[in-house]
Amino acid sequence: MKTAYVKDWMSSPAITIASKGSLAAAHKLMTEKGIRRLPVVEAGKLVGIVTLTDVLEAEPSDATSLNIFELNYLLDTLTVDKIMTREVISAAPNEALQSVAQEMLMHKIGGLPVMEDGELVGVITESDIFRAFVELIEMPALAA
């Protein structure tokens, strides 16, 4: 298999959320865009990452005794910066996809922001890597 690079398989531009964005806004954005992670930005700079799991774990349980108004208030006041991961591992556009896949596997994470010269240029996910693998691997002909 030939060398594949992050820049050829990443999603770009990255869909992001502001650090003071609400959990409700993050959840809505992820649902609408069909994504599971959002790079968090502040003044145009990457400051963290939040996953759908982070958001779901921070939301109140269905067994809560809060009424709908209290729930909505809570969700609107809880911001992404309170639950995001601040120490973010990232990839570079010219990095080999195999290297990035190994990094993701080692750290047990499903996606990385892609940074170039300090700027967020995209996101590479396990789905992107699976897609590359399926499209690039040379499949031997099946024996009849």
Side-chain angles (χ1 to χ4, degrees), residues 1-2 23 29 33 61 63 78 84 112 133 141:
M1 184 163 77
K2 69 177 187 171
L23 252 56
L29 186 57
K33 300 295 184 178
S61 159
L78 187 55
M84 70 184 186
L112 300 175
F133 178 77

Side-chain angles (χ1 to χ4, degrees), residues 15-86:
I15 298 167
T16 64
I17 191 159
S19 63
K20 293 300 180 186
S22 71
L23 252 56
H27 195 173
K28 182 179 179 193
L29 186 57
M30 288 182 196
T31 301
E32 287 176 351
K33 300 295 184 178
I35 57 176
R36 294 177 293 195
R37 63 200 47 80
L38 284 171
V40 181
V41 294
E42 195 171 284
K45 297 294 178 190
L46 180 71
V47 294
I49 193 161
V50 66
T51 67
L52 183 56
T53 301
D54 297 333
V55 171
L56 293 175
E57 287 177 353
E59 290 180 346
S61 159
D62 289 339
T64 184
S65 62
L66 298 175
N67 69 40
I68 192 68
F69 300 107
E70 293 169 322
L71 279 172
N72 286 335
Y73 174 78
L74 179 64
L75 290 176
D76 285 340
T77 57
L78 187 55
T79 54
V80 171
D81 63 334
K82 303 280 191 296
I83 65 164
M84 70 184 186
T85 299
R86 294 179 185 279

